[in-house]
Amino acid sequence: MAELLQCRSLAKNLAGLSLLLCLAAIAVPSVEAKVRYHKWEVKYQYKSPDCYQKLVITINGRSPGPTINAQQGDTVIVEIRNSLLLEDVAIHWHGIRQHGTPWADGTEGVTQCPIIPGDTFTYKFVVDKPGTFLYHAHYGMQRGAGLYGLIKVSLPAGESEPFSYDYDRSIILADWYHKSTYEQMTGLNSIPFVWVGEPQSILIQGRGKFNCSTPGTEADLCNATNPECSPFSLTVVPGKTYRLRIGSLTGLSALSFEIEGHNMTVVEADGHNVEPFVVQNLFIYSGETYSVLIKADQDPSRNYWASAHIVSRNSNTTNGLGIINYYPNHPKRNPPTSPLVGPRWNDTAPRIAQSQAIKALKGYIHTPPQTTDRVIVMLNTQNKIDDHVRWSVNNVSFGLPDTPYLIALKQNFLHAFEQTPPPEGYDAANYDIYSVAKNVNATTSNSIYRLKFNSTVDVILQNANTMNVNNSETHPWHLHGHDFWVLGYGIGKFNISTDPKKYNLVNPIMKNTVPVHPYGWTALRFRADNPGVWLFHCHIEAHFFQGMGVVFEEGVEKVGRLPTSIMGCGETKRFFKP
C-alpha cells in the first residue's frame, strides 16, 4: 500500500511517469553497495615465520594481515593505528585504482604524508572492479618486514564469472630476510655498498623453513619445531575444482610456483580475465596476482608438495614448500616424494613464453586505443652517484620529496620539487645494452612527468646490463592508479620504427604490474584519465629504494579538496592535521 501511494504521488507531480512502471521499479530489489569497515593496529611483534625469531610488522597480531573481502562497488574503510613506536607507516592498496580518491593510494611522498607513531589514519575508497589485489606497506622497505595482505573483490550477487570452480582459496608468496629493513637500507646507502643478498627463506602464506643448523645461526633464536613455521597446508576434497588466487609480494625474488602432479589453468591476471592456458610452473613476479584453476584429481591416499622456487637469480635459497592436503589425510602429513626442484634459474625462454601467452579473454577484451599521443622510453640501468650504488631511469635516479606531490601540486608549492621534466628517452643509437656502461655515473632528481589529461601514453621499458659483466636483472614494474595494456615483449634493444608494428592491439591483457625480462623490453599503453599523481616503479624493494621509479601527474586540477589528514610533513607542517 505504501508503494502504491508513493507512485500515485509521483505520477501526479511528474508528467509522463507510468504508475505501472513506477510499481515495477520499486518491486525490483536493488543491489546496494556495502561498506566494509576494518580497524587495524600496526605494530612489531616477535615471530618465527621461518623458524628464526625476529621482529615482524603485524596487523592485529598477524602477518600476512587480514584478507579484505568485498564486492565490486563496495566502499572499504580501514582505520589504522600506528603502534610501531619509532616508525612512520603508509599502506598502499595495490591494484585499486582510486578513482576520485587519489589521496587514499597510500604512497608516502606521493599522495600523503606518512602516519606517525601513535596516530590513527583512515583510508576510504571504492573497489570498482572484481579480482585479486594486494595491500602492503609503502614506507621505506617495510613491506619486507611482513606488512602485507590480500584483497579479494567478488562480482555483485547474481553475476557469474566465465569460469567455474567449487571453492575459492588464496595464498601470498614472499621472500624473507633475517636482517631488519633498517640494516638492509643502511647497507644499500653505504660506502662501500652492502647488498641485501639472497633471502634466507621463501614464505608460502607466511610460513617457511630456515635450516637452523646453518653456521652462524644463534641457537636460541632458531627452533625448527616451532609450530609457527610448520608448512602451509591447503586441504582439498578429491574431485573438486579450486580457484587458487596467488599473489607475490617478494622484496627481490621472481618465483616459479608449482604443485606436484597437478596442472594449473590460468584464468585471471591482476583483476582481468585471461584466455585460459595451462601451465605446470606459474612464473610470478613481485606485485603480480593470478587466479589458477586446479582439479583435485590425483591419488587421494596421499598429499602433494607445493613449491615456490627462485628464478632469474642464481640463488641458494631453499625452495618454499607447502602441502596440498587431500582430505581425509592428515594436513601435516608429508608427501612420500622428494620436494620439487623447480626450473633452471637462468632459463628465460619459458618465462618470456608465459608473458606472451597472457591474453584477454574473448568477451572481456578492453580494446586499446589504436594510436598513442606520447611515447616515453625508459632505460633501466644500475649506476653510481657520488660512489653510492643507485638504479636509474634514463640515467636519472629518483628520490621522493619532503612534501608529497599531490599536496604540492594542489597547493601550488611548485618549489617543493624540481620542475625540469625528466628525460623521455636515451641515446638508443649509441648505447650498448649488453655491456657495462662506459660511464656509470648518473644524476638524481625528483621531477615528474606531466601528462595531458585523457591522453594515451606508451611506455617502453628497456632493460640493459648492470654494473656487473654479463648480468641483466628482471624488473617487475607497477603502475599506481591505472591498469595498462601490455602490447608486447621483446629481446634486445627496442626498435621504435619496427617493433610497434608487432604490438598486440586486438586482445592485449590489462595489468597493473609487468616484468621486463633480462636484456629485453616491455611495451605498455595506458590512458591518462585518472586525476591525480601516480607512482610507477620497480616493485623490488631495494631497487625502488635506490631510485628506480618515476611519477606521472594527470588532471590534478580536477582533484577535489584534499583531506587535511594526509598533511603534516614538508611544506604542509603548518596545516591542521587532526
Side-chain angles (χ1 to χ4, degrees):
M1 179 61 72
E3 290 85 354
L4 178 61
L5 292 174
Q6 180 185 357
C7 282
R8 281 177 174 171
S9 174
L10 287 170
K12 288 179 181 179
N13 293 298
L14 297 175
L17 177 66
S18 163
L19 183 62
L20 290 176
L21 182 61
C22 177
L23 287 170
I26 289 178
V28 175
S30 60
V31 179
E32 294 185 2
K34 296 180 180 179
V35 175
R36 312 280 180 167
Y37 179 79
H38 298 265
K39 189 173 184 178
W40 292 352
E41 182 183 23
V42 175
K43 66 178 181 180
Y44 274 111
Q45 289 184 287
Y46 282 106
K47 288 189 173 292
S48 305
D50 69 343
C51 305
Y52 183 91
Q53 186 185 78
K54 63 167 287 188
L55 283 172
V56 177
I57 300 181
T58 64
I59 297 175
N60 297 345
R62 297 166 57 182
S63 176
T67 295
I68 294 177
N69 291 287
Q71 282 190 344
Q72 182 181 4
D74 286 352
T75 296
V76 174
I77 299 176
V78 185
E79 181 184 310
I80 294 172
R81 177 171 177 78
N82 180 5
S83 296
L84 293 178
L85 301 180
L86 298 175
E87 291 182 49
D88 296 344
V89 73
I91 295 182
H92 169 55
W93 315 98
H94 184 115
I96 307 301
R97 293 175 291 190
Q98 302 293 352
H99 287 296
T101 53
W103 49 81
D105 189 53
T107 313
E108 180 267 332
V110 179
T111 61
Q112 71 168 96
C113 294
I115 310 165
I116 64 175
D119 262 16
T120 297
F121 183 90
T122 300
Y123 290 99
K124 181 179 180 180
F125 52 88
V126 173
V127 288
D128 64 347
K129 65 187 179 77
T132 309
F133 311 103
L134 304 162
Y135 66 82
H136 58 80
H138 221 297
Y139 178 82
M141 290 172 58
Q142 286 177 341
R143 188 179 86 220
L147 183 46
Y148 59 80
L150 194 79
I151 303 173
K152 292 167 59 174
V153 183
S154 59
L155 286 164
E159 296 188 30
S160 60
E161 286 152 330
F163 46 89
S164 59
Y165 52 91
D166 299 300
Y167 298 103
D168 189 334
R169 300 290 184 265
S170 59
I171 58 171
I172 298 178
L173 307 176
D175 46 17
W176 195 246
Y177 288 85
H178 293 170
K179 284 187 177 180
S180 71
T181 56
Y182 278 105
E183 290 175 284
Q184 294 177 54
M185 289 188 292
T186 300
L188 293 172
N189 204 38
S190 294
I191 301 174
F193 176 69
V194 181
W195 175 234
V196 298
E198 295 302 307
Q200 277 65 63
S201 303
I202 299 297
L203 306 184
I204 298 179
Q205 198 56 24
R207 294 171 178 265
K209 184 71 75 171
F210 177 70
N211 183 0
C212 291
S213 299
T214 301
T217 303
E218 296 180 54
D220 59 337
L221 293 181
C222 202
N223 178 5
T225 63
N226 191 323
E228 288 185 22
C229 59
S230 61
F232 170 75
S233 182
L234 175 65
T235 299
V236 298
V237 176
K240 299 297 183 181
T241 298
Y242 289 79
R243 175 185 188 171
L244 184 59
R245 302 174 189 257
I246 308 170
S248 173
L249 282 173
T250 53
L252 173 67
S253 311
L255 298 174
S256 167
F257 178 79
E258 61 182 312
I259 297 175
E260 179 190 8
H262 296 72
N263 287 331
M264 296 177 283
T265 303
V266 181
V267 293
E268 180 220 347
D270 290 0
H272 290 274
N273 294 320
V274 169
E275 197 66 47
F277 65 97
V278 177
V279 297
Q280 290 181 320
N281 302 81
L282 178 73
F283 298 107
I284 184 167
Y285 307 91
S286 180
E288 288 192 313
T289 65
Y290 290 96
S291 284
V292 298
L293 300 182
I294 303 163
K295 188 165 185 180
D297 57 1
Q298 298 301 298
D299 178 4
S301 68
R302 51 160 293 193
N303 292 336
Y304 296 82
W305 292 112
S307 176
H309 171 73
I310 293 178
V311 293
S312 192
R313 301 184 64 84
N314 189 8
S315 176
N316 58 2
T317 305
T318 303
N319 290 357
L321 295 176
I323 295 173
I324 303 301
N325 164 231
Y326 268 65
Y327 181 83
N329 298 304
H330 194 284
K332 293 185 179 181
R333 178 184 172 191
N334 280 349
T337 50
S338 298
L340 301 163
V341 176
R344 287 188 296 114
W345 71 270
N346 57 353
D347 188 359
T348 59
R351 303 204 302 272
I352 296 170
Q354 180 188 291
S355 293
Q356 294 173 331
I358 303 173
K359 304 289 192 301
L361 178 63
K362 185 177 181 180
Y364 295 85
I365 297 170
H366 300 275
T367 304
Q370 298 298 290
T371 58
T372 187
D373 300 308
R374 188 172 177 179
V375 179
I376 303 174
V377 180
M378 297 185 179
L379 177 69
N380 295 194
T381 55
Q382 190 181 39
N383 301 86
K384 279 196 172 183
I385 299 176
D386 297 329
D387 287 330
H388 289 91
V389 176
R390 303 282 294 181
W391 284 92
S392 305
V393 172
N394 295 335
N395 226 42
V396 176
S397 188
F398 175 74
L400 289 168
D402 294 330
T403 304
Y405 293 105
L406 181 62
I407 306 171
L409 288 162
K410 286 297 291 181
Q411 303 294 341
N412 204 32
F413 297 149
L414 298 186
H415 59 280
F417 63 93
E418 297 175 45
Q419 295 300 301
T420 302
E424 306 217 354
Y426 71 105
D427 184 8
N430 296 306
Y431 193 96
D432 181 5
I433 66 168
Y434 292 102
S435 301
V436 177
K438 295 177 182 177
N439 181 1
V440 298
N441 292 316
T443 59
T444 60
S445 176
N446 59 17
S447 61
I448 64 176
Y449 293 97
R450 309 291 293 267
L451 306 179
K452 182 180 178 181
F453 184 69
N454 216 31
S455 63
T456 300
V457 180
D458 282 9
V459 173
I460 314 301
L461 296 166
Q462 175 67 65
N463 216 337
N465 206 95
T466 67
M467 291 193 296
N468 299 314
V469 176
N470 297 325
N471 175 254
S472 181
E473 300 190 12
T474 301
H475 301 288
W477 279 80
H478 171 59
L479 178 59
H480 293 224
H482 301 79
D483 292 335
F484 48 73
W485 291 276
V486 183
L487 301 183
Y489 299 87
I491 294 297
K493 189 182 295 184
F494 178 80
N495 187 314
I496 203 164
S497 299
T498 59
D499 284 325
K501 297 175 184 178
K502 307 171 189 174
Y503 285 170
N504 175 13
L505 299 174
V506 179
N507 61 345
I509 191 64
M510 296 194 79
K511 296 181 94 270
N512 60 63
T513 305
V514 69
V516 55
H517 295 285
Y519 297 114
W521 56 264
T522 301
L524 56 93
R525 177 171 293 176
F526 69 97
R527 183 87 77 177
D529 59 359
N530 191 6
V533 187
W534 309 107
L535 186 62
F536 181 47
H537 64 105
C538 178
H539 214 255
I540 292 174
E541 285 276 67
H543 290 182
F544 178 53
F545 178 77
Q546 293 174 273
M548 201 172 196
V550 300
V551 167
F552 297 118
E553 176 276 323
E554 59 203 58
V556 74
E557 70 281 355
K558 301 178 185 297
V559 174
R561 184 176 180 180
L562 302 180
T564 55
S565 60
I566 68 171
M567 303 178 188
C569 60
E571 294 284 337
T572 71
K573 288 179 180 177
R574 65 181 184 271
F575 284 78
F576 171 71
K577 185 175 185 289

